[in-house]
């Protein structure tokens, strides 16, 4: 019902909350979020508790939302998505306005995740998974072939956990956060332990994850590096996997399916595999005692040097800088750290490329007795929290808004039916 209220000039059209939500393509609660952010103004109905909204103001916001969601002029068709999660600016990055490197250094991965999801810092936050769900995920993962990689295991665990949750289609913020707090530890618990290390499903997530990555005992300094790495990798704006998650959430896929979409993209060699390549490169440098011949062979083969350069940073990746500083405090990591410095210095003779987080992760994994795939696991577990944050944002937007139009370049119809070969 539209409320007509006369003003000094023409009548002012007013919309109910439901009408405003329909025009904006969002949930009614998102309309009030726009009001709290100052993007819309509201007025109480005389004698009632309901609010009304200026039709022209709502229409202008809807047009602005459509423009911001479409490809900006001159961008080459790149998609621009409004987000309040992460900002990357001048070789630094921020989670909800807070310096991400400082946050990840001073707080646990679980606390960083809670900040990203809710904008509140829950001191001592801990994630637990229902035993029944963990059992389902483990059975599914254990049924896979022995050569299965970690990302496949994580994706199967996510799908199995979703299948075990009859309430997975509840997309309310409270339900999705409950899913996230259970899903992340379930993913870790479903991974097989390394060597003879017993399963550890209690305590901080970094400690639980360590036993799935390394057969060596975990010392506090190494656990601090792993926990900080998880916090640093929680989110990094709209990476390819994050965009896939938002597309899935735009179609109202549940949180397990959205995370599965992100895991599918991470497995691509151009996204999640760089840390493994850097790991193998460092081992070869350590074996030869010199980075020069290793770099020469990479360049001769026409391959990029893994672990170097990042298109979002002119200088050194701030995530790498923080991890290198922590790794320098661990004597066991010194040889791998020296090999990484040698790689950077050798490459700098030809191209001024700085270390990125993949090289720092490679130092951690290579010096901790972890397999070359360990960095993929760390990346995927960490980024799951960021995917949830982006899915939550997308659930509050107009559904199916990430539906670009195809530019058909094939033969023009009509064409005759093809003849059988």
């Amino acid at each position: 019902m539209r409320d007509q209220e006369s003003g000094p000039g023409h009548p002012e059209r007013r919309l109910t909350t439901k009408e405003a939500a329909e025009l904006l393509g969002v949930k009614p609660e998102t309309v009030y979020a726009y009001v709290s952010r100052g993007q819309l103004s509201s007025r109480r109905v005389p004698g009632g508790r309901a609010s009304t909204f200026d039709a022209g103001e709502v229409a202008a916001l809807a047009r602005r939302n459509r423009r911001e969601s479409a490809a900006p002029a001159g961008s080459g068709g790149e998609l621009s998505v409004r987000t309040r999660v992460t900002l990357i600016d001048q070789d630094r990055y921020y989670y909800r306005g807070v310096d991400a490197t400082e946050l990840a250094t001073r707080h646990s991965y679980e606390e960083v995740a809670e900040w990203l999801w809710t904008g509140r810092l829950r001191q001592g936050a801990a994630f637990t998974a229902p035993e029944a769900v963990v059992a389902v995920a483990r059975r599914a993962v254990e049924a896979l072939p022995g050569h299965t990689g970690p990302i496949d295991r994580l994706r199967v665990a996510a799908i199995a956990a979703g299948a075990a949750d009859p309430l997975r289609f509840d997309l309310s913020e409270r339900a999705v956060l409950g899913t996230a707090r259970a899903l992340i530890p379930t993913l870790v618990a479903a991974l097989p332990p390394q060597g003879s290390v017993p399963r550890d499903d209690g305590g901080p997530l970094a400690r639980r994850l360590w036993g799935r990555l390394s057969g060596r005992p975990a010392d506090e300094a190494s656990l601090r590096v792993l926990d900080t790495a998880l916090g640093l990798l929680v989110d990094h704006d709209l990476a390819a996997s994050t965009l896939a998650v938002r597309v899935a959430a735009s179609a109202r896929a549940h949180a397990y399916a959205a995370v599965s979409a992100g895991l599918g993209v991470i497995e691509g060699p151009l996204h999640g595999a760089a840390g493994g390549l850097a790991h193998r490169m460092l081992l070869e440098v350590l074996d030869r005692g010199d980075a020069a011949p290793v770099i020469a062979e990479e360049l001769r083969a026409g391959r990029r040097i893994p672990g170097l350069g990042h298109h979002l940073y002119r200088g050194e990746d701030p995530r790498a800088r923080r991890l290198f500083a922590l790794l320098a405090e661990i004597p066991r990591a010194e040889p791998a750290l020296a090999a990484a410095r040698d790689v950077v210095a050798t490459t700098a003779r030809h191209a001024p490329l700085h270390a990125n987080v993949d090289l720092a992760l490679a130092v951690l994994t290579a010096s901790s007795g972890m397999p070359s795939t360990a960095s993929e696991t760390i990346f995927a577990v960490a980024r799951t929290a960021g995917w949830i944050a982006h899915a939550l944002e997308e659930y509050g937007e107009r559904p199916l808004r990430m539906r670009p139009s195809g530019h058909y370049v094939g033969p023009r119809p009509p064409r005759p039916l093809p003849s059988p070969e």
Side-chain angles (χ1 to χ4, degrees), residues 11 25 46 55 108 146 175 224 239 275-276 278-279 290-291 294 296 308 313 318-319 326 343-344 385 387 406 421:
S108 70
R224 185 188 178 205
H279 174 111
D290 186 0
V294 179
L308 298 180
Y313 300 114
R319 301 169 297 178
L326 293 175
V343 167
V344 174
W387 292 336
E421 294 183 0

Side-chain angles (χ1 to χ4, degrees), residues 48-111:
R49 298 178 61 186
S51 296
T52 62
F53 304 87
D54 179 82
E57 195 177 57
V58 172
L61 178 59
R63 288 193 299 271
R64 188 162 67 249
N65 286 353
R66 286 194 293 271
R67 284 197 305 270
E68 291 177 355
S69 296
S75 69
E78 294 177 0
L79 183 66
S80 175
V81 178
R82 292 175 299 128
T83 177
R84 300 168 66 88
V85 178
T86 300
L87 169 68
I88 300 175
D89 183 49
Q90 296 183 355
D91 285 353
R92 299 176 71 181
Y93 73 120
Y94 306 85
Y95 294 155
R96 293 189 179 275
V98 174
D99 187 286
T101 57
E102 292 298 322
L103 192 68
T105 302
R106 301 185 184 190
H107 295 279
S108 70
Y109 167 71
E110 292 91 329
E111 291 168 348

Side-chain angles (χ1 to χ4, degrees), residues 121 134 153 178 258 260 310 319 338 391 405-406 409:
L121 194 63
V134 170
R153 289 191 172 107
S260 181
H310 198 292
R319 301 169 297 178
S405 299
V409 294

Side-chain angles (χ1 to χ4, degrees), residues 253-301:
H254 54 72
Y256 301 94
V259 167
S260 181
L263 288 168
V265 175
I266 261 192
E267 198 172 22
L270 299 182
H271 191 7
L277 297 174
H279 174 111
R280 289 187 284 272
M281 177 185 68
L282 284 187
L283 291 184
E284 190 172 355
V285 172
L286 288 169
D287 184 55
R288 296 194 180 193
D290 186 0
V294 179
I295 298 300
E297 288 176 6
E298 293 290 318
L299 294 175
R300 187 178 298 118

Side-chain angles (χ1 to χ4, degrees), residues 206-263:
R207 182 177 294 277
R208 287 178 255 174
L209 181 59
W210 181 275
R212 271 73 177 184
L213 300 174
S214 176
R216 296 178 182 175
D219 59 88
E220 290 305 315
S222 297
L223 284 177
R224 185 188 178 205
V225 177
L226 178 58
D227 187 50
T228 302
L230 290 169
L232 292 171
L233 291 167
V234 163
D235 190 56
H236 206 234
D237 196 30
L238 282 184
S241 57
T242 304
L243 181 58
V245 168
R246 292 199 74 129
V247 171
S250 177
R252 297 305 182 255
H254 54 72
Y256 301 94
V259 167
S260 181
L263 288 168

Side-chain angles (χ1 to χ4, degrees), residues 337-355:
L337 196 56
R341 294 192 188 105
D342 192 9
V343 167
V344 174
T346 300
T347 309
R349 300 172 194 168
H350 310 283
L353 295 176
H354 297 275

